[in-house]
Amino acid sequence: MCVNFTPPTHRQLLSHFGIDAAGLEWKPDTWQDYLAPIITPAGLLLASYGFIPKSHLPPGVRLTTMNARAETVGEKPTYKVAWRKAQLCLVPMQAFFEPCYETGKAVRTRISRADGEPFAVAGMWREWQEPDGVVSHAFTQITINADDHPLMRRMHKPGDEKRSLVVLPRERFGDWLACREPELARAMLAPFPAELMTASDAPLPRRA
């Protein structure tokens, strides 16, 4: 499962998504609980990576909610309300990272579009009421089975189910954001063509 990605730059958001994010700031690499830009039907939001931020978990509870499985997103208590309300978003990025075990050990691998252009993956968002009365936002990415995907099946440990983020074709961005029917949204959760993707070894960056 993807737990780290590179968000777009301000210039990329403007040139490829038509969104001016002047005045907003985010880190060059996104990890759990980091703020990153997402695109909702109402526009751009800065949201926390992970549907339940650590600050909203009960003491002593550890839960990873950066990825929601397409097969169970409508049944899991964490996600089902947002899914049934079709609180869908685009998560724009330059690349995401997965471990490849083809050498016998985990090699951090950068996965991006072969043409180098930024892209967007299917996600969901929600609101959180903070103790000070401020409303914050959080998001998760939706994943699908990738056992048969020529590129994504190379990732993760041998024997583990292969999973992939849903990279949406540019022409489906509007359809995804406008969708209000969960089953219609599910029909858009399809593999992205492997020939349009590329993978390369990537050193682990220093986390800010």
Side-chain angles (χ1 to χ4, degrees):
M1 296 290 199
C2 174
V3 297
N4 170 221
F5 66 90
T6 302
T9 65
H10 285 72
R11 179 175 296 180
Q12 288 172 331
L13 266 180
L14 185 59
S15 62
H16 293 275
F17 299 94
I19 294 176
D20 186 350
L24 300 178
E25 298 295 334
W26 54 88
K27 296 182 184 297
D29 282 283
T30 303
W31 302 85
Q32 184 177 8
D33 285 336
Y34 282 29
L35 293 178
I38 63 170
I39 303 169
T40 74
L44 184 73
L45 292 175
L46 275 187
S48 180
Y49 186 26
F51 221 51
I52 304 180
K54 291 179 181 177
S55 61
H56 287 274
L57 288 172
V61 173
R62 298 183 65 183
L63 183 65
T64 300
T65 56
M66 291 172 283
N67 300 283
R69 294 173 62 93
E71 298 88 344
T72 58
V73 68
E75 289 75 45
K76 292 290 186 180
T78 298
Y79 307 113
K80 65 181 182 181
V81 173
W83 175 251
R84 292 171 186 175
K85 290 182 178 180
Q87 292 177 196
L88 308 179
C89 67
L90 298 172
V91 185
M93 60 182 69
Q94 301 178 55
F96 60 93
F97 300 88
E98 300 283 10
C100 180
Y101 281 81
E102 291 177 332
T103 64
K105 60 181 181 179
V107 175
R108 186 172 184 263
T109 303
R110 183 182 190 271
I111 300 168
S112 62
R113 284 187 59 117
D115 59 12
E117 298 293 331
F119 55 95
V121 304
M124 289 195 311
W125 67 279
R126 64 160 295 170
E127 294 182 345
W128 285 98
Q129 190 74 38
E130 301 299 336
D132 60 2
V134 171
V135 174
S136 65
H137 302 91
F139 71 96
T140 188
Q141 301 160 140
I142 300 176
T143 69
I144 56 175
N145 179 273
D147 286 344
D148 297 322
H149 192 275
L151 175 60
M152 298 307 299
R153 69 185 181 191
R154 297 171 47 202
M155 306 301 145
H156 303 290
K157 293 180 180 180
D160 284 359
E161 181 193 3
K162 311 306 178 183
R163 303 292 298 178
S164 177
L165 300 182
V166 179
V167 178
L168 290 166
R170 192 177 187 88
E171 61 269 19
R172 300 310 299 269
F173 287 179
D175 295 336
W176 180 255
L177 291 178
C179 184
R180 292 295 175 267
E181 296 293 334
E183 290 313 307
L184 290 179
R186 194 185 301 276
M188 286 186 258
L189 301 176
F192 196 69
E195 63 270 19
L196 300 181
M197 305 170 74
T198 187
S200 58
D201 293 357
L204 188 67
R206 181 177 297 176
R207 294 178 62 168

